Amino acid sequence: MDAAPTGTLLRGLTADRAVRVIAVEASAPAEHTRTLHGLGPDAARIGTEALVAAALSSAHIKGDEQLTLQIQGERPRFSVYVDATAEGALRARVSPPDLQLPGGTFHGILMVTKHAPGGEVYRGATAIEGTTLEQALGSHFRTSQQVDAVVRIGFRANDSGTVRIAQGVLLERLPDEPDVPSVTPAAFTQRFGPLADPGRHPLDALMTSVALGRVLGDPIEVLARHEVSWRCRCSRARIEETLRSLGGATLQELIDEDHGATVSCHFCTTDYVLSEDDLRRLQGSLPA
């Protein structure tokens, strides 16, 4: 099996530990998404930006939690779906692959959902009205998450379409606590707001802790650095469990009409082929 395409996620603090810093480099997972799904230039861009956005957001989950970032575009119509786990597993899909996004802006809805083993624990939705995903994600943190934040997401491809840069930086003002250094919302905006201007601060100049600390005027205290990778979590066992949930009558229809079943994973495109005997085995495992 080929090695999973990997990147890096960094967590740290700055401004006397009053501001959280998250930085992501994910060009290899983004390029894997592009090639796996045959994405054109605009689909590759929005898919990459969503992958980076989900990786940045995944810094807020832990343990067995999972985060899902969805974009439902209305004008134009398209969809993006990215899953991320606390341990750094990412997977993504974009439809249609020949999406056209003039100027990188669109109208639709950004949805971020946090799942735990016991079920959904958080859902936030942000309307996107002719903005970029970078702008929409910043709005999501400020409104749905009630956090003062600055978000930067960068994408670059070469002439052949290969993703060369897939990066992101997130700065968040931490909540005020007694006897702990803090930054007021106004001071946060004044000091860190200019980082949102790509003309003044190109993203690739912010992507190391040393460089970012130099721009911020305060060193970054790196708390953790770990790998993120493109990893699908589908399996034959999960596919069989899904088919079992359809019930005996539906399984019998698949046996009688299709003489088996083929189920494709929308993320990694793996086909799981089940024969008539496989379906009969699943029928036999159902409660009487």
Side-chain angles (χ1 to χ4, degrees), residues 177-276:
E177 295 184 13
D179 303 320
V180 175
S182 64
V183 176
T184 66
F188 177 88
T189 300
Q190 180 178 15
R191 181 174 177 183
F192 301 107
L195 289 174
D197 183 355
R200 293 179 60 180
H201 298 290
L203 183 63
D204 53 5
L206 306 177
M207 284 307 297
T208 69
S209 59
V210 173
L212 183 56
R214 188 179 303 121
V215 171
L216 296 177
D218 210 343
I220 305 298
E221 178 187 347
V222 177
L223 301 179
R225 191 191 308 266
H226 70 83
E227 183 179 273
V228 294
S229 63
W230 207 109
R231 296 202 307 272
C232 194
R233 297 185 298 283
C234 70
S235 67
R236 187 176 181 89
R238 290 189 176 189
I239 295 300
E240 290 190 352
E241 187 57 34
T242 299
L243 288 172
R244 286 180 77 254
S245 70
L246 299 177
T250 300
L251 289 173
Q252 190 60 50
E253 288 181 10
L254 292 173
I255 293 171
D256 295 339
E257 299 176 11
D258 300 325
H259 307 291
T262 299
V263 181
S264 297
C265 175
H266 293 300
F267 289 99
C268 69
T269 71
T270 299
D271 290 332
Y272 293 90
V273 180
L274 289 88
S275 66
E276 291 187 37

Side-chain angles (χ1 to χ4, degrees), residues 65-145:
E65 292 178 338
Q66 173 183 315
L67 181 139
T68 299
L69 185 148
Q70 293 175 266
I71 304 170
Q72 292 298 325
E74 297 175 357
R75 298 197 308 276
R77 289 196 172 276
F78 70 97
S79 66
V80 182
Y81 195 109
V82 185
D83 276 343
T85 68
E87 63 181 14
L90 301 168
R91 60 179 185 173
R93 59 183 172 89
V94 182
S95 179
D98 58 352
L99 171 67
Q100 301 289 317
L101 284 179
T105 63
F106 57 96
H107 296 256
I109 298 175
L110 167 68
M111 291 175 286
V112 179
T113 308
K114 184 190 296 185
H115 308 270
E120 184 178 304
V121 295
Y122 165 83
R123 178 186 293 265
T126 301
I128 305 174
E129 300 294 340
T131 64
T132 64
L133 178 57
E134 180 181 83
Q135 294 166 330
L137 189 65
S139 178
H140 163 75
F141 281 109
R142 290 187 293 272
T143 57
S144 296
Q145 298 277 50

